[in-house]
């Protein structure tokens, strides 16, 4: 599927919950209000949307949240999505706290790769950022995933004065383990607006100074806009996702589906296209009168129309650099980061 700017849209990020077992200060601090469970897409509904999306060319899915592993049966959802014709890859982004517990079931259900959020290697800083003392559980999830041969990417959001000084230690994990480490610039979404980002441009310069033989790693990895470099002899690469200091909108390939059944053309803007309406709205009551096969085909066509509409509404680029132009007001955990 191509959007109005000729970009191929073949990737969808699906938020399956707005709940989380951590309280990262820039994402979901204490006291945030949660959506009632009955307003959240069921797994059957998510699969129905994905069946329609796959017929339009969406071939790669990322399960996110909130924290996807706090929703019961998350591994089985992955199994359901993997069976959809045309879906080539299903990956997940997690805070890693419950990863080791669920890893066997995730692997059984065909998870293709995992992104694990890890902003710090220091237990006190971890507690300061996430509000919890579970760094060892995350390390265990990383260890077991690597041992199982699952492709692993660690994602770090740096904050000056908190974990900003850990960038080199985090980058050097790629010299010790076969995994990639990516630095994501703090985006002015939700509570992220209150934080100053660490510039990836500056980080890259510092990394080049430290390793003059640093080489760009051109092999395509993952679904996103990261640019990768490799420290000589390292086992993995260091990636930079620079929403602010390296606008990557020209290569945007994605749609987002929120846990409440809305398609988001772009993270920066509040505009959404409602698909829940097709599944649960007035029209769906009319569909109930139809024969099962006619009903499924009718709903699929309507879903495809909405998905195409969302793709058609993708803007040329975000405007994170101009605060007044950012119209998305919800938190990252509510949208699906
Ligand atoms: N709970 C899972 C996790 O932590 O990976 C999945 C959801 S979380 C919202 C996905 C990613 O979004 C995390 O890596 C988190 O650090 C990142 N994130 C949250 N708020 C952000 C912001 N304002 N700017 C950049 N990244 C952000
Ligand atoms: Fe939870 Fe992930 Fe947000 Fe942290 S970044 S609060 S782990 S959803």
């Amino acid at each position: 599927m191509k959007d109005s700017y000729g970009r191929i849209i073949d990737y969808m990020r699906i938020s399956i919950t707005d709940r989380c077992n951590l309280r990262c200060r820039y994402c979901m601090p204490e006291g945030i209000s949660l959506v009632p469970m009955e307003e959240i897409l069921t797994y059957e509904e998510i699969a129905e949307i994905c069946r329609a999306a796959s017929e339009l060319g969406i071939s790669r899915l990322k399960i996110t949240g909130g924290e996807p592993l706090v929703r019961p049966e998350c591994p089985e959802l992955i199994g359901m999505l993997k069976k959809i014709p045309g879906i080539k890859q299903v990956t997940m982004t997690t805070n890693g706290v419950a990863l080791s517990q669920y890893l066997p079931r995730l692997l059984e259900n065909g998870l293709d790769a995992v992104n694990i959020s890890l902003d710090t290697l220091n237990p006190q800083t971890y507690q300061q950022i996430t509000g919890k003392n579970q760094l060892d559980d995350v390390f265990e999830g990383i260890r077991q995933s690597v041992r199982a041969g699952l492709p692993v990417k660690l994602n770090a959001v740096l904050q000056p004065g908190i974990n900003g000084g850990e960038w080199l230690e985090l980058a050097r994990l790629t010299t010790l383990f076969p995994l990639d480490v990516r630095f994501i610039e703090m985006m002015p979404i939700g509570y992220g607006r209150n934080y100053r980002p660490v510039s990836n441009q500056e980080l890259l310069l510092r990394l080049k100074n430290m390793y003059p033989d640093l080489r760009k790693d051109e092999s395509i990895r993952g679904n996103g806009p990261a640019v990768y470099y490799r420290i000589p002899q390292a086992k993995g690469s260091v990636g930079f996702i620079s929403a602010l200091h390296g606008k990557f909108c020209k290569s945007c390939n994605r749609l987002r589906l929120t846990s409440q059944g809305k398609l988001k053309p772009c993270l920066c803007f509040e505009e959404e296209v409602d698909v829940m309406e097709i599944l649960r709205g007035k029209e769906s009551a009319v569909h109930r009168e139809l024969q099962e096969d006619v009903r499924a085909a009718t709903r699929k066509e309507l879903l495809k129309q909405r998905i195409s509409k969302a793709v058609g509404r993708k803007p040329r680029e975000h405007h994170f650099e101009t605060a007044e132009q950012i119209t998305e007001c919800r938190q990252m955990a509510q949208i699906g980061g």
Side-chain angles (χ1 to χ4, degrees), residues 146 150-153 170-181 211 214 217 219 221 228-238:
V146 168
L150 191 64
V152 173
K153 292 190 174 73
L170 286 163
R172 279 183 175 153
L173 291 177
T174 63
T175 65
L176 304 174
F177 307 102
L179 47 74
D180 299 323
V181 173
Y211 295 101
L214 195 73
D217 184 350
S219 53
R221 299 154 168 276
Y228 289 94
Y229 291 82
R230 196 171 270 246
I231 296 172
Q233 270 86 54
K235 297 174 178 163
S237 295
V238 182

Side-chain angles (χ1 to χ4, degrees), residues 13 20 22 24 26-27 63-68 93-96 115-119 155-157 184-193 332-333 336-337:
R13 295 179 70 93
C20 188
L22 296 183
C24 301
Y26 57 84
C27 177
I63 304 304
T64 181
E67 171 51 36
T93 177
T94 169
N95 59 32
N115 292 355
I116 304 169
S117 300
L118 180 69
D119 291 351
N155 287 338
V157 178
I184 304 179
E185 282 183 345
M186 180 81 77
M187 289 180 256
I189 290 291
Y191 294 93
R193 284 175 193 242
M332 200 65 116

Side-chain angles (χ1 to χ4, degrees), residues 128-142:
Q128 189 187 358
I129 295 173
T130 69
K132 298 281 163 68
N133 177 19
Q134 293 196 272
L135 188 55
D136 283 343
D137 296 329
V138 184
F139 287 155
E140 189 53 30
I142 296 170

Side-chain angles (χ1 to χ4, degrees), residues 30 45 146 149 166 182 337:
E30 294 295 348
E45 288 168 336
V146 168
E166 287 190 65
R182 311 188 308 172

Side-chain angles (χ1 to χ4, degrees), residues 123-257:
Q124 281 80 38
T125 313
Y126 188 84
Q127 170 102 41
Q128 189 187 358
I129 295 173
T130 69
K132 298 281 163 68
N133 177 19
Q134 293 196 272
L135 188 55
D136 283 343
D137 296 329
V138 184
F139 287 155
E140 189 53 30
I142 296 170
R143 250 193 304 271
Q144 289 194 20
S145 301
V146 168
R147 203 177 304 139
L150 191 64
V152 173
K153 292 190 174 73
L154 303 184
N155 287 338
V157 178
L158 296 178
Q159 303 171 51
I162 297 181
N163 59 343
E166 287 190 65
W167 68 273
L168 186 55
E169 215 182 326
L170 286 163
R172 279 183 175 153
L173 291 177
T174 63
T175 65
L176 304 174
F177 307 102
L179 47 74
D180 299 323
V181 173
R182 311 188 308 172
F183 295 105
I184 304 179
E185 282 183 345
M186 180 81 77
M187 289 180 256
I189 290 291
Y191 294 93
R193 284 175 193 242
N194 306 320
Y195 292 82
R196 197 158 51 87
V198 170
S199 156
N200 272 349
Q201 267 174 1
E202 282 173 30
L203 274 191
L204 178 58
L205 275 180
R206 283 194 249 162
L207 195 63
K208 280 180 175 164
N209 280 339
M210 192 70 66
Y211 295 101
D213 290 339
L214 195 73
R215 288 277 168 272
K216 199 160 185 184
D217 184 350
E218 301 280 6
S219 53
I220 299 172
R221 299 154 168 276
N223 301 311
V227 180
Y228 289 94
Y229 291 82
R230 196 171 270 246
I231 296 172
Q233 270 86 54
K235 297 174 178 163
S237 295
V238 182
F240 296 90
I241 302 181
S242 317
L244 290 137
H245 297 93
K247 220 177 199 184
F248 40 65
C249 300
K250 271 195 191 136
S251 57
C252 187
N253 59 355
R254 64 195 53 197
L255 267 187
R256 288 186 153 79
L257 174 64

